[in-house]
């Protein structure tokens, strides 16, 4: 973990975590007095700006990455939105991934009882089972079963006494790289064998009290123009932005691979890769949603496709029907 800066958040007046780790060799900044995702969101912006300024001035050791450690109550969406919406930060930092730790002793119960924990799992790029030295095989199996229902494309990795290869925490898909398993998981491709039909959703849905949450993937053979694709995203965020927990994908824009990410109403500036990671030229977009039916996602893109294509006047009513159904 060399060349990594760590931002530690803590709820409460006294920074206990800061005392415990202040002798570490990493650059530590403490966010005190509240959850990183709400009352101290501005502090996160200021902390990241200050870290970068100190780096440029040579006041701290040079670093390549920043890890933000939130509280167990954190909502990942506002933290991600901070990186997407602050133009100064966006020029210097980009989101690599969201990592969620799941208590293997109490995790299954917590996920069933607390929506905050459920959202943390739904928005994760990687899942880690902790306290495995304290949990029974039955507890771990129960926890894994719940996680498999929620995120079947992710395999939770077990962590004992904090021992974990640092490489497991880094590099989640935005760099140009070979078509690795990690890259596939990031873009929702782990279940490709089950999805030979264009537009077929890849992931299961948790069919209990949390059926509103879904992970769904759309695929498109046809290349987009950026105008058409951005119009579809704009329509989707205006109609259902609050329920669009996360969107990520690699899109064929007139032959070029473009990485897109978004959280609720905010879409991160696109990143164009200098080459495709594999021979697959299909656009594939992963949507993590709350209460949005798969058909509504398809209808939004179908409506935009009709608007962007020459068509008889009668298509206007058809387009209107698509948009109405999408809402």
């Amino acid at each position: 973990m060399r060349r990594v800066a760590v931002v530690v958040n803590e709820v409460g007046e006294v920074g206990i975590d800061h005392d415990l780790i202040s002798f570490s060799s990493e650059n530590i900044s403490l966010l005190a007095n509240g959850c990183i995702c709400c009352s101290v969101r501005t502090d996160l912006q200021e902390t990241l700006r200050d870290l970068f300024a100190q780096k440029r001035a040579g006041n701290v050791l040079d670093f390549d990455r920043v890890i933000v450690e939130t509280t167990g109550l954190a909502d990942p969406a506002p933290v991600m939105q901070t990186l997407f919406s602050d133009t100064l930060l966006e020029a210097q930092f980009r989101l690599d991934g969201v990592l969620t730790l799941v208590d293997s002793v109490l995790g299954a119960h917590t996920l069933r009882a607390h929506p905050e924990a459920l959202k943390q799992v739904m928005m994760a790029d990687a899942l880690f089972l902790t306290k495995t030295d304290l949990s029974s095989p039955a507890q771990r199996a129960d926890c894994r079963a719940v996680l498999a229902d929620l995120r079947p494309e992710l395999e939770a990795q077990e962590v004992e006494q904090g021992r974990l290869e640092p490489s497991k925490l880094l590099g989640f898909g935005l760099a140009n790289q070979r078509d690795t398993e990690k890259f596939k998981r990031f873009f929702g491709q782990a279940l490709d064998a089950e999805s030979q039909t264009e537009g077929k959703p890849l992931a299961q849905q948790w069919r209990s009290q949390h059926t509103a949450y879904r992970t769904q993937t759309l695929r498109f053979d046809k290349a987009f123009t950026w105008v058409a694709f951005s119009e579809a995203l704009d329509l989707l965020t205006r109609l259902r932005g609050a329920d669009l927990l996360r969107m990520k994908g690699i899109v064929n824009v007139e032959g070029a691979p473009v990485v897109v990410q978004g959280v609720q109403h905010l879409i991160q500036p696109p990143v164009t890769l200098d080459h495709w990671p594999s021979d697959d030229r299909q656009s594939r977009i992963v949507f993590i949603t709350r209460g949005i039916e798969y058909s509504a996602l398809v209808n939004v893109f179908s409506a935009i496709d009709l608007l962007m294509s020459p068509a008889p006047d009668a298509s206007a009513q058809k387009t209107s029907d698509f948009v109405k159904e999408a809402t």
Side-chain angles (χ1 to χ4, degrees):
M1 301 303 292
R2 295 177 62 186
R3 301 178 65 84
V4 172
V6 181
V7 175
V8 178
N9 178 66
E10 183 165 347
V11 174
E13 296 292 334
V14 180
I16 297 175
D17 283 353
H18 187 261
D19 291 335
L20 292 176
I21 64 177
S22 60
F23 294 104
S24 175
S25 60
E26 283 91 19
N27 306 308
I28 306 295
S29 293
L30 176 66
L31 304 181
N33 265 343
C35 178
I36 197 174
C37 64
C38 47
S39 63
V40 299
R41 181 178 168 190
T42 301
D43 284 357
L44 173 61
Q45 292 170 294
E46 293 175 355
T47 298
L48 291 176
R49 290 177 183 175
D50 182 58
L51 273 175
F52 182 74
Q54 291 188 50
K55 170 185 173 180
R56 293 197 66 174
N59 296 330
V60 298
L61 294 176
D62 199 8
F63 58 86
D64 298 323
R65 298 175 182 272
V66 177
I67 292 180
V68 179
E69 186 250 351
T70 71
T71 72
L73 301 175
D75 181 345
V79 179
M80 298 166 71
Q81 288 171 345
T82 296
L83 297 177
F84 292 177
S85 60
D86 188 308
T87 54
L88 292 177
L89 291 182
E90 191 274 327
Q92 307 300 338
F93 299 96
R94 63 172 170 79
L95 179 70
D96 185 39
V98 176
L99 316 178
T100 297
L101 309 183
V102 182
D103 183 329
S104 63
V105 178
L106 301 172
H109 168 76
T110 301
L111 287 167
R112 292 180 175 117
H114 299 286
E116 299 89 351
L118 184 69
K119 195 170 183 181
Q120 290 171 4
V121 167
M122 292 303 299
M123 299 185 72
D125 297 302
L127 300 172
F128 299 94
L129 282 180
T130 64
K131 301 183 182 178
T132 55
D133 56 315
L134 303 177
S135 59
S136 67
Q139 287 173 321
R140 292 195 294 276
D142 189 21
C143 192
R144 283 190 175 279
V146 174
L147 294 175
D149 276 339
L150 287 170
R151 300 297 304 278
E153 77 277 21
L154 294 181
E155 181 179 356
Q157 303 175 63
E158 294 192 3
V159 182
E160 184 175 345
Q161 297 288 348
R163 290 189 291 271
L164 184 69
E165 282 295 323
S167 61
K168 301 290 186 181
L169 305 176
L170 309 172
F172 284 89
L174 284 185
N176 288 328
Q177 56 184 291
R178 295 183 181 276
D179 199 2
T180 63
E181 288 303 313
K182 184 184 291 186
F183 188 90
K184 290 178 181 179
R185 286 196 299 271
F186 185 79
F187 290 117
Q189 298 173 263
L191 304 182
D192 273 356
E194 301 177 17
S195 179
Q196 301 302 321
T197 303
E198 178 183 348
K200 180 181 178 182
L202 297 183
Q204 302 169 357
Q205 300 170 15
W206 195 10
R207 301 183 185 281
S208 62
Q209 71 265 36
H210 297 296
T211 52
Y213 289 90
R214 295 179 175 88
T215 301
Q216 299 169 132
T217 298
L218 299 185
R219 281 181 167 271
F220 301 93
D221 291 317
K222 181 181 177 181
F224 290 92
T225 65
W226 179 248
V227 172
F229 184 76
S230 59
E231 286 289 338
L233 288 187
D234 181 65
L235 177 60
L236 184 59
T237 55
R238 282 190 285 114
L239 292 175
R240 301 297 298 271
D243 298 315
L244 185 63
L245 303 185
R246 193 169 181 195
M247 179 275 299
K248 56 186 178 180
I250 182 168
V251 181
N252 186 330
V253 179
E254 298 180 343
V258 177
V259 173
V260 293
Q261 289 202 73
V263 176
Q264 295 183 329
H265 293 90
L266 291 177
I267 305 298
Q268 190 178 26
V271 177
T272 301
L273 303 181
D274 56 20
H275 63 272
W276 285 89
S278 71
D279 294 333
D280 186 355
R281 298 295 190 268
Q282 280 188 323
S283 297
R284 52 267 199 196
I285 313 162
V286 182
F287 295 92
I288 300 173
T289 65
R290 177 179 54 205
I292 301 179
E293 295 294 334
Y294 169 70
S295 59
L297 297 175
V298 174
N299 288 341
V300 166
F301 284 91
S302 298
I304 294 300
D305 187 50
L306 282 173
L307 285 173
M308 294 297 174
S309 302
D313 293 340
S315 68
Q317 181 60 46
K318 189 174 183 181
T319 299
S320 176
D321 293 341
F322 271 126
V323 176
K324 183 177 179 181
E325 186 176 347
T327 62

